[in-house]
Amino acid sequence: MAVLLAGLLGPGIAAESQGVPEGVAEIRRLLQTGDAARAAALAGELVRKYPDSPAAYEALGRALDQQGRYDGAEAAYRRAIQLAPSSASPRVSLGVSYARRGMPGAASTEFQQALAKEPENLTALLNLGGLELSAGQVAVTPRMACRRRSRAREHARALRTAECGPRGVL
């Protein structure tokens, strides 16, 4: 399977605009060091302290995912989606969770919904492209890359493999 990317507070929920609790950065650090148990405990505290924070629920989902507690993770992501319906970030995280569990159809749906909300979300785009490559749908991925190249110049290195014609069309 392709490499899956998940960006906790990646191009979705912005810390400044969503009132992200301070502990989310610490949860991210704990997850990066493999301490999912401590991350889940801290995320649980954040959810209790900030019950209306989509970032707290997304962080909880990421921690539970890393522990293999998928039902709880999915519930946390769904709550984050309810709290921030216009944000792509919790949908990307849920999509990554589905993909890791071997549910590519559900993952693809979440990545597509994330892209409907944020068409230039590179994380969703690359994950969706990875799923399509894994499924043998190679023709779709370069076309997607070409469409996005004109609007995502700063990510050109990641998209450079596609040969595009005029206006980003194959």
Side-chain angles (χ1 to χ4, degrees):
M1 166 132 353
V3 174
L4 298 172
L5 306 171
L8 183 60
L9 303 179
I13 299 173
E16 319 75 56
S17 66
Q18 295 291 327
V20 173
E22 227 174 86
V24 171
E26 177 65 8
I27 293 167
R28 183 187 311 164
R29 189 191 67 71
L30 290 168
L31 290 172
Q32 289 172 345
T33 62
D35 195 349
R38 281 187 51 209
L42 180 55
E45 291 174 25
L46 282 182
V47 164
R48 284 186 289 284
K49 189 173 179 180
Y50 302 99
D52 294 327
S53 170
Y57 279 97
E58 189 174 356
L60 177 61
R62 295 280 304 279
L64 294 174
D65 245 344
Q66 203 168 81
Q67 290 182 311
R69 297 167 55 192
Y70 301 120
D71 290 341
E74 183 173 351
Y77 293 138
R78 294 265 176 228
R79 181 66 180 136
I81 290 166
Q82 284 179 335
L83 291 169
S86 63
S87 176
S89 184
R91 291 210 176 268
V92 171
S93 293
L94 181 56
V96 169
S97 179
Y98 284 146
R100 286 182 178 152
R101 289 187 270 165
M103 302 168 64
S108 178
T109 297
E110 293 303 325
F111 296 141
Q112 289 172 1
Q113 289 182 11
L115 287 168
K117 295 179 183 323
E118 294 177 19
E120 295 180 30
N121 186 302
L122 187 63
T123 305
L125 179 63
L126 291 174
N127 281 314
L128 183 59
L131 286 175
E132 291 173 347
L133 282 171
S134 294
Q137 299 173 345
V138 179
V140 176
T141 302
R143 195 171 301 125
M144 288 175 58
C146 291
R147 277 198 329 251
R148 301 294 178 232
R149 182 184 286 170
S150 63
R151 295 187 346 230
R153 296 268 183 231
E154 67 274 13
H155 301 293
R157 281 190 314 235
L159 302 175
R160 223 176 258 145
T161 58
E163 291 297 322
C164 300
R167 297 190 334 220
V169 177
L170 278 180

